[in-house]
Amino acid sequence: MRAVYINSASCISVQDTLNENILQNLKPEYSVQIIKAIEPNYKEFIPPAMSRRMSKTVKMSSVASHHALQEAGISYPDAIIAGTGMGCSQDSEKFLKNVIDDHEEFLTPTFFIQSTHNTVAGQIALGLQCHAYNFTYVNTSSSLEFSLLDAQLQINDGEAENILVGSTDEQTDRTMELYCLHNIIKRETDLPSDYLNSATNGVIWGEGASFFVVGKDKTDTSYAKLQNITIINKLDLDEVLTFIGDFLMKNNLSAQDIDAVILGFSGDAKSDVYYTKAMEAFPDSALLYYKHLSGEFNTASGFSTFIACHILKEQQIPEIMMINSERKESVRNILLYNHLAGDDHSLVLLEKA
């Protein structure tokens, strides 16, 4: 499959990723259970009357997509593809609360209508008055990867030239309570979290929205070339090296050709063993991690893709992300490896544009 270009990248996250000098201003978080996104002033982008009716994930995505399209110089993309693990959780919770509180009577449909997972892509299209292909992937931690794969296929097939691709997930109070009860989120007694050598299960939870314009041709704003993606739902620990080796072979590369590997260490001892195993395949590559900067959530890989784009464009690797001391003179190929709680493993290969 022919490579495509990531021509713009925008991200709202727990870091101040909408401003400049992103790689120089990254700040890790080890000591809280839940970290919230740094939100922009929505009044600058969304009319207040509309903003009041939007959930957090819709507002974050509207602003991030606006920045991505503006940077790429695109007014109307040929398609809008979004990936999300939890969708519009806030409106879902409000609707379910109304069902319980009102004993299933006199329900207003607004929260139900806005609770569907495809609300984000739909709202972006409404704002742009874009009537093109509009699709949402809901595949837990590989939602963005499926979205990028769809965009790559459409561009390869000549169906589109510039596609807006994004991922988004928000936090909600009740869901976070349930995650704490189920020990998905780390206990307070297990904090601060040691992301690389954790002896406890659970993660620090984050949120965010990342959007990219994926195009057929390289432009002045291009960050990276999206070479290939592979996704597998289940993977045994002893299959990790084969999974990675087969992917590299398919792309006519060896481990020595990979200048940097970005791994999704989350501080969950049970599932981080996959990343520890993957490190064995790359003794000569720069090994990086990122979830101490973003938190764990369904589409956290959007943050790693955004950071990888900046590393390739600026040819800088932030010290705060480094696992080992290996540094390359130039960074040409970056491999991203991610999963969520040991399921839905993905590999994304990016090359310098």
Side-chain angles (χ1 to χ4, degrees), residues 39-52 54 59-60 62-63 66:
E39 298 179 82
N41 182 1
Y42 292 122
K43 291 179 182 178
E44 296 178 8
F45 306 94
I46 308 167
M50 289 180 63
S51 181
R52 282 195 296 272
M54 290 180 173
K59 289 189 283 189
M60 289 193 299
S62 297
V63 174
H66 169 82

Side-chain angles (χ1 to χ4, degrees), residues 10 12 31 38 45 68 98 117 133 157 168 211 266 275 299 334:
S10 177
I12 293 175
S31 302
I38 298 173
F45 306 94
N98 284 351
H117 289 70
Y133 176 89
D157 290 343
T168 181
F211 276 79
S266 64
Y275 300 124
T299 50
I334 295 182

Side-chain angles (χ1 to χ4, degrees), residues 84-208:
T84 180
M86 298 293 289
C88 298
S89 305
Q90 287 183 0
D91 286 317
S92 298
E93 282 193 8
K94 288 175 184 176
F95 174 73
L96 292 171
K97 187 175 186 300
N98 284 351
V99 170
I100 295 167
D101 292 347
D102 298 335
H103 307 289
E104 301 182 26
E105 297 178 342
F106 314 117
L107 299 174
T108 56
T110 308
F111 292 137
F112 175 74
I113 293 167
Q114 294 180 341
S115 71
T116 57
H117 289 70
N118 60 357
T119 299
V120 171
Q123 287 284 0
I124 293 171
L126 284 170
L128 295 172
Q129 291 296 296
C130 176
H131 304 284
Y133 176 89
N134 192 289
F135 206 84
T136 300
Y137 284 90
V138 186
N139 299 82
T140 61
S141 65
S142 53
S143 299
L144 174 63
E145 288 78 359
F146 274 105
S147 301
L148 288 169
L149 190 57
D150 187 354
Q152 191 175 16
L153 287 166
Q154 289 211 40
I155 292 170
N156 277 204
D157 290 343
E159 298 287 332
E161 290 192 2
N162 293 288
I163 299 177
L164 178 66
V165 181
S167 63
T168 181
D169 274 297
E170 65 185 359
Q171 299 165 355
T172 53
D173 293 340
R174 183 57 180 156
T175 301
M176 294 302 100
E177 287 175 13
L178 294 172
Y179 279 10
C180 287
L181 286 171
H182 199 54
N183 295 324
I184 293 172
I185 292 175
K186 276 197 185 296
R187 297 185 183 96
E188 286 189 359
T189 53
D190 293 333
L191 297 173
S193 177
D194 183 346
Y195 279 83
L196 297 178
N197 302 289
S198 178
T200 60
N201 294 332
V203 301
I204 290 175
W205 204 261
E207 63 181 350

Side-chain angles (χ1 to χ4, degrees), residues 309-336:
C309 286
H310 276 273
I311 290 172
L312 287 168
K313 191 168 189 175
E314 299 175 32
Q315 290 293 294
Q316 292 182 39
I317 295 178
E319 194 75 37
I320 196 68
M321 293 179 67
M322 295 191 69
I323 299 172
N324 62 356
S325 57
E326 190 70 38
R327 283 185 182 273
K328 297 293 180 84
E329 289 184 11
S330 65
V331 182
R332 181 168 181 81
N333 293 308
I334 295 182
L335 183 70
L336 285 69

Side-chain angles (χ1 to χ4, degrees), residues 244 248 253-259 261 281-285 328:
I244 293 171
L248 294 177
L253 295 172
S254 68
Q256 288 71 36
D257 297 316
I258 303 299
D259 301 306
V261 183
F282 301 99
D284 302 317
S285 304
K328 297 293 180 84

